[in-house]
Amino acid sequence: MPQVLIADDNPLARRRLESAVRKWKYDVVLASDGNEAWSCLRGPEAPRLAILDWHMPGLSGIEICQRVRDQGGDRYPFLILLTNRTDRDSLIEGLTSGADDYVRQPFDADELEQRLRTGRRIVELQDRLLTTQAILQVQATHDALTGVLNRGEILRRLDRELTSGAGPLAVMLVDIDHFKLVNDRYGHLAGDVVLKRVADGIAANVRETDAVGRYGGEEFLVLLPGASGADVAHVAERVRSGVAQGSSTQAGQLPASVSIGWAQCVVRNPSGGAELIHRADEALYRAKGDGRDCVRAAKEEEA
Amino acid sequence: MENLAALPVWNRSQSLANADHDPEFWQELLTIWDSQRSQLASELRYALDSRDLKAAAMAAHTLKGSFTVLAAERAQEVARSLEMTLHAGREPLAQETALLWEEMNRLQEELISRADDLGRLLATGIAEVRA
């Protein structure tokens, strides 16, 4: 049931509004002055519909409208000003302050019900847009198969870390061993299961502050901000052993192992992303050369 | 100010309409008024005595809101006029405030004199109210 804030300092007027609005199947939140109304509209779970008396102790209805609009935020509240002012200038002043609608006192119940319904349609429409936007945002930044970040997003985050972060930053390249063989022998569906299983294994074994992305076909890039060399080595080993548990596919239990190369920069260089990845890639190449299913660190960065 | 004599002290049918033609809700509104009227009047008196015109305007506004819901048309008009004077930054004349207390008393007498009428409406329900 949608929630409506009713803010009026007059107990009679407030009770009359409350009775009407409840009858129209809304939940009601009451405020008896402007400050109470404003604190109610500031919260993350604030009502999306509000009926505000123009004149109230503390903050007036128009001051609240201005503050709500200045506050911004994604969740747009629909604000109705209630007043017995009837002149054109007041109407314009009210709407200029950020009110969406304007109802004159004493209110006509049928009219107010319809105006409230209009507000409800608008906030519901906006909610649907926000939901769609959130879905599109996930689709635009995540790999559809594995659910980890996609290549574009993990590289954007690497740039962001190098530009605005502080302290050491490490990157880890994780490559599935003999992945081509899995695809050739068991088919691409089995390959997809292995990819998903490995991605889950990586995500489950890194720290909360780390970011995991699919960098290439069977290669994943992990960002480890603020991690010491010992931390990175520890996380890398945990990832390696964590994903080497095998994957259950239609073709049966498939063994999966990964090789990992990592590199770290102590001082962040905004244009150093490619170099950092290149060093991790060289370390990965050594891990492959050393028989796979192991972790190798890059050589110390050059001063 | 409008011609007060032309306005009813209490517009009973409008008052009932403001309560959505629900006698019980009507009684509830009248009870709320009964419990708040002394305090609202005190707030206005105190603000006027302190020459706090802003607070006095707010108190007059609140009283006007109550009179609107009650459909106490004469008191509503007096409160509206007083509020405008105060909003304009002028101290009201003694007779302007005296008029408000007078209209409040008149309203109270009217409500008391109709107490039996209210009881009957509550007992007989909405059909008779609308008749």
Side-chain angles (χ1 to χ4, degrees):
Chain A
M1 204 184 291
Q3 220 175 31
V4 178
L5 168 69
I6 293 173
D8 197 320
D9 60 307
N10 185 304
L12 267 184
R14 194 169 62 235
R15 180 68 187 102
R16 186 183 169 223
L17 272 169
E18 181 193 1
S19 168
V21 172
R22 283 197 196 282
K23 206 171 282 177
W24 304 329
K25 310 281 184 225
Y26 293 91
D27 266 346
V28 171
V29 180
L30 296 170
S32 57
D33 62 49
N35 290 325
E36 201 181 332
W38 169 233
S39 76
C40 180
L41 287 168
R42 290 173 79 178
E45 297 301 316
R48 304 288 298 285
L49 299 161
I51 302 171
L52 307 168
D53 185 23
W54 184 303
H55 287 289
M56 286 186 285
L59 294 167
S60 69
I62 56 169
E63 285 172 323
I64 295 170
C65 289
Q66 282 161 350
R67 288 191 180 201
V68 167
R69 298 307 175 218
D70 288 347
Q71 173 182 249
D74 286 341
R75 288 161 50 87
Y76 185 91
F78 189 89
L79 307 174
I80 299 175
L81 261 183
L82 201 60
T83 180
N84 43 25
R85 294 181 177 211
T86 53
D87 58 292
R88 174 185 170 276
D89 288 349
S90 294
L91 171 82
I92 290 171
E93 185 185 357
L95 294 176
T96 304
S97 74
D100 295 288
D101 207 347
Y102 189 96
V103 173
R104 292 190 171 108
Q105 282 273 45
F107 68 86
D108 178 281
D110 293 336
E111 180 190 327
L112 181 58
E113 182 182 10
Q114 294 315 314
R115 290 185 187 275
L116 213 45
R117 188 173 291 178
T118 303
R120 185 176 174 171
R121 274 201 303 272
I122 288 172
V123 297
E124 285 175 354
L125 178 65
Q126 204 231 358
D127 281 347
R128 286 201 294 276
L129 286 172
L130 284 176
T131 305
T132 307
Q133 189 184 40
I135 292 168
L136 290 174
Q137 177 70 15
V138 170
Q139 287 175 352
T141 54
H142 288 71
D143 178 59
L145 172 64
T146 61
V148 298
L149 299 175
N150 61 24
R151 179 184 170 96
E153 182 61 16
I154 194 74
L155 291 176
R156 265 192 295 279
R157 292 206 187 181
L158 173 60
D159 279 345
R160 208 180 309 152
E161 280 291 344
L162 289 169
T163 306
S164 54
L169 174 70
V171 301
M172 199 162 84
L173 276 174
V174 182
D175 190 87
I176 303 175
D177 295 330
H178 304 298
F179 185 68
K180 188 172 180 304
L181 280 179
V182 175
N183 275 337
D184 290 349
R185 236 177 246 175
Y186 305 102
H188 288 279
L189 286 179
D192 287 351
V193 172
V194 171
L195 273 169
K196 177 85 177 84
R197 165 75 179 77
V198 169
D200 289 348
I202 298 170
N205 287 289
V206 295
R207 306 166 310 160
E208 265 188 35
T209 49
D210 300 337
V212 181
R214 189 169 172 194
Y215 186 61
E218 70 267 29
E219 199 167 19
F220 296 87
L221 177 63
V222 183
L223 310 184
L224 301 100
S228 67
D231 290 339
V232 184
H234 178 72
V235 172
E237 183 51 35
R238 200 166 61 202
V239 167
R240 187 203 63 77
S241 61
V243 298
Q245 311 290 327
S247 301
S248 180
T249 71
Q250 282 185 333
Q253 190 75 7
L254 295 185
S257 68
V258 292
S259 300
I260 299 176
W262 63 268
Q264 187 194 39
C265 63
V266 177
V267 179
R268 300 191 185 192
N269 169 10
S271 58
E275 169 64 19
L276 196 57
I277 292 175
H278 176 70
R279 288 172 52 223
D281 200 29
E282 282 181 343
L284 172 63
Y285 186 75
R286 280 195 285 117
K288 293 283 184 188
D290 290 346
R292 297 184 170 83
D293 194 14
C294 62
V295 177
R296 292 293 178 266
K299 289 170 190 149
E300 292 291 315
E301 60 187 322
E302 287 170 23
Chain B
M1 198 185 308
E2 280 186 46
N3 180 12
L4 282 188
L7 296 172
V9 173
W10 185 42
N11 184 338
R12 179 183 172 281
S13 60
Q14 182 58 50
S15 170
L16 185 57
N18 287 347
D20 205 20
H21 299 283
D22 177 343
E24 286 188 17
F25 185 45
W26 195 29
Q27 192 196 32
E28 185 190 335
L29 292 179
L30 290 170
T31 306
I32 293 173
W33 163 246
D34 200 45
S35 67
Q36 69 162 179
R37 66 190 164 85
S38 301
Q39 192 197 332
L40 294 181
S42 300
E43 283 172 10
L44 177 58
R45 265 201 195 95
Y46 180 78
L48 288 170
D49 290 347
S50 322
R51 299 193 161 169
D52 183 344
L53 299 189
K54 202 175 163 192
M58 182 59 72
H61 172 78
T62 305
L63 273 168
K64 185 187 68 182
S66 296
F67 297 141
T68 304
V69 175
L70 294 170
E73 295 185 9
R74 287 173 66 138
Q76 183 189 338
E77 176 57 21
V78 175
R80 186 193 66 79
S81 171
L82 187 62
E83 184 191 355
M84 281 179 67
T85 301
L86 291 161
H87 270 310
R90 291 197 307 271
E91 266 192 67
L93 300 171
Q95 57 259 44
E96 285 181 87
T97 48
L99 189 56
L100 182 67
W101 310 136
E102 197 179 301
E103 287 305 331
M104 281 184 76
N105 287 335
R106 206 168 266 152
L107 171 65
Q108 199 58 20
E109 283 165 16
E110 178 87 3
L111 293 175
I112 291 168
S113 73
R114 307 288 281 271
D116 289 347
D117 183 29
L118 281 172
R120 185 175 57 79
L121 290 172
L122 285 167
T124 53
I126 193 76
E128 193 168 336
V129 171
R130 282 187 170 144

